Amino acid sequence: VCAMETAARRAFLARRFSWTARSAEPSERAGKGDGYCSRILRAQGPRKEGFNEFRLRVEGDPESYHPGSTYRVTLVASSSAYFRGFILIALREGREGGQDDDYAGRFQIIDEDDTQFMTNCPPAVTESTPRRRTSIHVFWTAPPSGSGCVTLKASIVQKRIIYFQDEGSLTKHMCERGSIARESQYGDSTERPLLDCCACGTAKYRVTYYGNWSEKIHPKDYPRRANHWSAIIGASHSKNYVLWEYGGYSSDGVKQVAELGSPVKMEEEIRQKGDEVLTVIKMKAQWPAWQPLSVRAAPSAEFSVDRTRHLMSFLTMMGPSPDWNVGLSAEDLCTKECGWVQRVVQDLIPWDAGTDSGVSYESPNKLTQAPEKIRPLTSLDHPQGPFYDPEGGAITPVARVVVERIARKGEQCNIVPDNVDDIVADIAQEEKEEDDTPETCIYSNWSPWSACSSATCEKGKRMRQRMLKAQLDLSVPCPHTQDFEPCMGPGCSDEADASTCMMSEWITWSPCSVSCGQGVRSRERYVKQFPDNGSACSMPTEETDSCVVNPECNPSSCLVTEWGEWDACSATCGLGMKRRERMVKMPPADGSICSAEVLEVEKCMMPECHTIPCMLTPWSDWSDCSVTCGKGLRTRQRTLKSPVELGECTEDLEQVEKCMLPECPTDCLLTDWTEWSDCNKSCGKGHMIRNRVVKLEPQFGGDPCPETVQRKKCKVRKCSRGQGSPEEKKRRKEQREKRRSKKLELGNKTVSNRCKMRPWSSWTDCTKLCGNGIEERLMTAKRRFRSAQLPSCKDRKEMRACNVHPC
């Protein structure tokens, strides 16, 4: 078998080599070298358009590489395809592979049974044995800084050979990291290096964080109970300060954000940088991680940048997780035209801070032995990871950040002329101080902004209002209930002109035109304001749409009306229910019951419930413990200071906690007495016993245990002398011996001065584990005096019952 496999491999390699040699002959003049690598790369053939059965992937699908970082490279076939062999190579941009320095980075073999370096072209990776396969994996370490752009290429051998592609799914082109891709307000994507900024004045931005991490989008092992984003911390800063970066190591502040969600240490690190930082960026935490915007506004914050501090970075913990975080690093807001970026939109994936080795959301803490570099999570990290994908696809973004310029201050020197958006942004309000609304003033939410007061392309104002719902302290004045801001009239739109008209909202759809089958329905709207130039309004005022009612049109079908409008939500705030109805216009012709639904119910979400904050006194001291010994409870109270008529206070007015005093004495606890045993004699005088068992020994000074065995005399009948069985005679003999021994004991007392006895020995082990056993102890003579008689100094023995409980 081995010989056959070797022969097959030699034949396979011979066919490949003959293909590359034949294909390379017409192109020999194009190369500078005669090496096997250059012949492979010069081999060309007709490329099949739209070919996508195979794909070359780099973990995380990065658009750029970080010098010196290691990436997992995967060559994968679609579910219905396979390949027998392959060649994988990495070249510097514009190189042909004829020189040693044409190759970029280096490959590392993961599985020697699957991949190996080519014998005739060491920089390239190929298969170890020709066989059917659907994927291979290798590591590729990026070249050092200054290497420029790199192209990874692959060829596939199936039944025929698919040549190297200069573009498409078997080619991956990446440039060295050092530039940042951003989406502008017009949707185009540009890359620019972190150069010195030439912009003038300052710019003010608003950053908004939209979490998109939900069970619907990321279902694997989603933590339903504790999912959240921690408080966001960041700064606008110079390029001399790095909060965090790809390929760097986590500071103590980054570690605390990533592992604990605490921004305290990182804020301390930021503030220690002094003039390198212009604005500290802070946003509130979000529980749960995903919420519809109708319920709660996305976290946002405002910050400023200037010529020296034109970068923005921030970080938030993805909780719960080992040390995963999401954020931006060194986002440059300065343009090469010496202006300020108008808008940045970035989709974000999670990053590993390199401080904890956990692989899932709720892995136990597992400190990384040696700190690892910060890197993005990938779909090939660990099979137990929540983002794992055996095909190595890109991770679905978990958040989106939007950075919008809202104002510029000072003289500007941008080369490109301002557009309408720049003008509108510049007339925004000057920086406001933080909201100084007293806690004693309770307002409703702000209303939507009104229309601009200017009907033409001129500066105007717009207004919003709120209502003062409660003033808890009359001595503290409440601020204004109206707010104004500058605006530009509708005529400033690039598409607007004097012929623009204003339309109303669409009216509800009309009933369908047929009683069964497919028909037509319509709806209308009207002109609210005609064009200023007196021309006719060109906007449509009627709209039609197809509709289907009772599509089967059979005798058992019924005709129903269109659905009515939804009823108001059953809740004024939070989660509620709403319903809508329709009626049966015509019952089934065959007299059966109409099976169409005439009632629909669904959930509705209203704005977050508004809770009146309570004015409370401080907590009282804790009360004494409710018991004098052992475990008890103690309480403390506080009282409500704000008036009751302002609403029910949801805060706790009493707290209860456990308390512990010295243990209480526990008395001995016994079972009930057993029944008396049978008499131990069949005739004459005897005794019978009963017992009880200790259930709980006395503790902490409790009463000791009383006796556990009792005996009393018994007499069955008088024994007849000279008669009876041998057993009875033997028993009577033993009784006589006992009486004799008692007499001797009495005699011993009189002659105790003639003998010296040893102390009683310890009780022997019980003869039975249960069911009335016996244990005994001995007293032996220590010294006999000459005058002492032998019977007087006899050893003594005592017996007693033990383990009397039933088996």
Side-chain angles (χ1 to χ4, degrees):
V1 173
C2 293
M4 291 174 64
E5 290 182 351
T6 303
R9 171 156 179 76
R10 287 176 178 172
F12 174 80
L13 293 176
R15 287 196 301 271
R16 172 183 287 184
F17 185 83
S18 63
W19 156 71
T20 52
R22 287 195 305 270
S23 300
E25 286 176 3
S27 305
E28 287 292 335
R29 295 187 302 273
K32 295 181 179 180
D34 297 328
Y36 188 64
C37 290
S38 60
R39 292 203 301 274
I40 292 175
L41 295 169
R42 289 197 301 272
Q44 296 293 330
R47 180 164 58 249
K48 184 178 179 181
E49 296 297 331
F51 186 84
N52 57 5
E53 281 187 287
F54 307 99
R55 183 169 180 178
L56 178 65
R57 286 180 172 174
V58 179
E59 67 170 339
D61 290 335
E63 296 181 0
S64 58
Y65 68 86
H66 191 281
S69 294
T70 299
Y71 301 86
R72 184 190 296 265
V73 178
T74 303
L75 193 57
V76 63
S78 64
S79 58
S80 60
Y82 68 91
F83 56 96
R84 296 182 180 276
F86 71 94
I87 301 175
L88 181 62
I89 203 162
L91 289 173
R92 298 180 189 272
E93 188 175 35
R95 302 296 181 91
E96 299 180 357
Q99 305 294 331
D100 290 342
D101 62 351
D102 287 357
Y103 305 101
R106 65 182 186 277
F107 289 104
Q108 299 175 46
I109 302 300
I110 296 178
D111 186 354
E112 294 182 353
D113 293 334
D114 211 27
T115 55
Q116 66 176 2
F117 291 108
M118 289 190 71
T119 304
N120 297 329
C121 181
V125 177
T126 187
E127 75 284 347
S128 297
T129 55
R131 59 177 175 81
R132 285 194 177 197
R133 48 174 57 84
T134 58
S135 65
I136 62 99
H137 304 275
V138 295
F139 286 128
W140 176 71
T141 301
S145 179
S147 299
C149 297
V150 172
T151 301
L152 278 72
K153 294 184 176 184
S155 71
I156 292 294
V157 178
Q158 199 182 35
K159 294 180 179 178
R160 56 187 178 83
I161 295 174
I162 302 167
Y163 299 105
F164 281 103
Q165 293 183 343
D166 293 329
E167 58 186 28
S169 60
L170 288 176
T171 300
K172 178 70 176 178
H173 186 74
M174 296 187 295
C175 292
E176 180 180 348
R177 186 178 184 274
S179 57
I180 300 175
R182 59 167 56 87
E183 182 183 343
S184 70
Q185 59 178 327
Y186 305 109
D188 59 334
S189 181
T190 60
E191 291 189 357
R192 68 171 53 104
L194 297 178
L195 303 175
D196 290 335
C197 179
C198 59
C200 299
T202 62
K204 183 179 180 182
Y205 287 89
R206 177 182 294 111
V207 54
T208 307
Y209 186 84
Y210 298 97
N212 197 31
W213 177 40
S214 66
E215 187 173 13
K216 181 178 180 181
I217 300 176
H218 303 89
K220 184 180 179 184
D221 300 334
Y222 188 77
R224 294 185 178 181
R225 294 186 178 181
N227 62 87
H228 69 282
W229 299 108
S230 72
I232 297 174
I233 184 68
S236 57
H237 57 93
S238 71
K239 63 181 183 179
N240 296 326
Y241 173 45
V242 177
L243 275 75
W244 70 279
E245 66 174 344
Y246 181 17
Y249 291 98
S250 295
S251 65
D252 291 340
V254 172
K255 179 179 179 181
Q256 287 197 13
V257 172
E259 291 187 6
L260 307 176
S262 171
V264 176
K265 182 64 177 178
M266 191 166 181
E267 182 177 355
E268 179 183 330
E269 293 176 354
I270 292 172
R271 295 190 184 279
Q272 288 176 351
K273 292 300 177 179
D275 292 340
E276 301 295 341
V277 173
L278 181 59
T279 308
V280 177
I281 300 171
K282 299 167 69 174
M283 286 179 266
K284 62 184 179 181
Q286 188 164 334
W287 293 75
W290 182 87
Q291 295 179 1
L293 295 182
S294 60
V295 177
R296 180 175 296 178
S300 64
E302 295 180 0
F303 65 95
S304 298
V305 292
D306 60 16
R307 176 177 289 188
T308 58
R309 293 157 294 191
H310 52 94
L311 305 179
M312 187 275 282
S313 303
F314 76 86
L315 205 59
T316 179
M317 173 197 181
M318 185 181 192
S321 69
D323 60 341
W324 300 343
N325 52 75
V326 173
L328 280 183
S329 175
E331 184 69 27
D332 195 353
L333 300 175
C334 184
T335 69
K336 63 182 180 181
E337 293 85 10
C338 302
W340 298 109
V341 174
Q342 176 66 34
R343 178 180 171 88
V344 175
V345 178
Q346 285 272 24
D347 287 323
L348 306 177
I349 63 171
W351 294 73
D352 189 322
T355 60
D356 191 294
S357 300
V359 298
S360 63
Y361 291 126
E362 299 181 272
S363 293
N365 291 334
K366 187 179 180 182
L367 183 66
T368 303
Q369 295 299 325
E372 298 177 355
K373 294 181 179 181
I374 299 174
R375 65 171 184 84
L377 294 181
T378 74
S379 59
L380 294 171
D381 283 337
H382 196 284
Q384 295 180 2
F387 306 107
Y388 181 72
D389 177 7
E391 295 186 359
I395 292 178
T396 303
V398 296
R400 169 173 287 188
V401 63
V402 178
V403 183
E404 297 177 289
R405 198 184 77 213
I406 56 176
R408 292 183 297 183
K409 294 180 66 177
E411 183 179 353
Q412 302 296 312
C413 54
N414 49 305
I415 301 171
V416 178
D418 288 339
N419 55 29
V420 173
D421 292 323
D422 293 320
I423 298 172
V424 173
D426 284 343
I427 63 173
Q429 289 179 306
E430 295 293 329
E431 290 190 37
K432 293 183 179 180
E433 297 180 357
E434 294 184 2
D435 186 10
D436 56 354
T437 302
E439 293 182 356
T440 56
C441 299
I442 309 302
Y443 289 96
S444 66
N445 294 328
W446 286 106
S447 68
W449 287 105
S450 67
C452 192
S453 60
S454 174
T456 60
C457 186
E458 295 179 354
K459 293 181 181 180
K461 288 185 178 181
R462 60 177 184 170
M463 180 189 73
R464 63 177 180 174
Q465 295 177 312
R466 61 180 176 179
M467 181 178 66
L468 179 62
K469 300 178 70 174
Q471 188 172 358
L472 303 181
D473 190 345
L474 297 177
S475 64
V476 179
C478 292
H480 57 274
T481 58
Q482 292 183 332
D483 191 19
F484 298 89
E485 75 171 13
C487 60
M488 295 294 289
C492 293
S493 172
D494 295 336
E495 298 179 359
D497 53 30
S499 62
T500 302
C501 54
M502 186 179 299
M503 307 298 294
S504 70
E505 296 294 327
W506 287 103
I507 300 173
T508 308
W509 287 103
S510 68
C512 198
S513 61
V514 296
S515 59
C516 69
Q518 184 168 357
V520 178
R521 62 177 182 171
S522 63
R523 63 177 181 175
E524 298 177 346
R525 62 179 177 177
Y526 61 91
V527 179
K528 294 178 64 176
Q529 180 177 331
F530 285 92
D532 296 337
N533 58 6
S535 61
C537 184
S538 59
M539 304 292 287
T541 59
E542 185 176 2
E543 188 176 54
T544 59
D545 187 23
S546 61
C547 55
V548 177
V549 179
N550 187 10
E552 299 176 1
C553 290
N554 58 39
S556 61
S557 299
C558 53
L559 181 63
V560 294
T561 63
E562 292 289 324
W563 285 107
E565 296 293 329
W566 287 104
D567 292 343
C569 191
S570 61
T572 56
C573 63
L575 182 65
M577 303 296 292
K578 62 179 181 179
R579 54 180 284 170
R580 65 177 182 175
E581 298 179 350
R582 61 181 177 182
M583 296 184 297
V584 178
K585 293 175 63 177
M586 182 183 299
D590 58 2
S592 61
I593 299 175
C594 181
S595 61
E597 295 289 342
V598 295
L599 176 65
E600 269 190 347
V601 179
E602 69 176 28
K603 296 178 181 179
C604 51
M605 180 64 76
M606 302 299 288
E608 183 180 14
C609 294
H610 182 75
T611 304
I612 301 292
C614 307
M615 303 288 287
L616 300 166
T617 62
W619 285 106
S620 66
D621 294 332
W622 287 104
S623 67
D624 294 333
C625 198
S626 60
V627 295
T628 57
C629 62
K631 297 179 180 179
L633 299 172
R634 63 176 186 171
T635 61
R636 65 175 182 176
Q637 294 83 24
R638 58 182 177 180
T639 57
L640 183 65
K641 291 172 62 178
S642 54
V644 178
E645 56 269 15
L646 291 180
E648 181 181 358
C649 180
T650 59
E651 298 289 339
D652 292 332
L653 299 180
E654 183 178 33
Q655 285 185 342
V656 181
E657 73 173 13
K658 296 178 181 179
C659 52
M660 185 71 180
L661 294 178
E663 293 287 350
C664 299
T666 304
D667 297 334
C668 179
L669 183 61
L670 302 115
T671 63
D672 294 333
W673 288 104
T674 63
E675 297 294 329
W676 287 102
S677 67
D678 295 334
C679 191
N680 67 333
K681 298 291 181 65
S682 60
C683 66
K685 295 180 181 180
H687 69 271
M688 50 187 181
I689 62 173
R690 67 174 182 176
N691 60 76
R692 55 184 175 180
V693 179
V694 176
K695 293 173 63 177
L696 180 64
E697 296 288 346
Q699 296 180 350
F700 311 111
D703 293 338
C705 294
E707 62 179 347
T708 58
V709 179
Q710 285 184 346
R711 69 178 63 197
K712 69 178 181 179
K713 295 179 180 179
C714 59
K715 186 175 181 180
V716 180
R717 61 184 175 83
K718 188 175 181 178
C719 296
S720 58
R721 295 181 177 273
Q723 298 179 358
S725 64
E727 290 80 6
E728 290 177 345
K729 291 179 180 180
K730 184 179 180 181
R731 190 178 301 113
R732 286 197 296 270
K733 184 179 179 180
E734 290 176 352
Q735 289 176 353
R736 286 195 298 272
E737 289 178 353
K738 286 184 180 179
R739 286 195 296 270
R740 188 180 299 114
S741 64
K742 286 183 179 180
K743 291 180 180 179
L744 289 175
E745 288 179 4
L746 291 174
N748 289 340
K749 291 182 180 179
T750 61
V751 294
S752 60
N753 55 346
R754 299 177 184 177
C755 294
K756 190 169 185 179
M757 306 299 290
R758 297 179 186 278
W760 284 105
S761 66
S762 300
W763 289 101
T764 63
D765 294 335
C766 193
T767 58
K768 293 183 179 180
L769 297 177
C770 60
N772 294 325
I774 297 175
E775 58 184 5
E776 60 183 26
R777 64 177 180 174
L778 298 174
M779 179 186 287
T780 58
K782 184 177 181 183
R783 183 180 178 185
R784 293 183 176 89
F785 298 97
R786 291 180 180 179
S787 58
Q789 297 179 1
L790 183 61
S792 302
C793 294
K794 210 172 184 179
D795 294 342
R796 303 173 189 176
K797 180 190 292 186
E798 281 188 355
M799 293 185 295
R800 68 179 182 184
C802 58
N803 292 341
V804 294
H805 57 276
C807 296

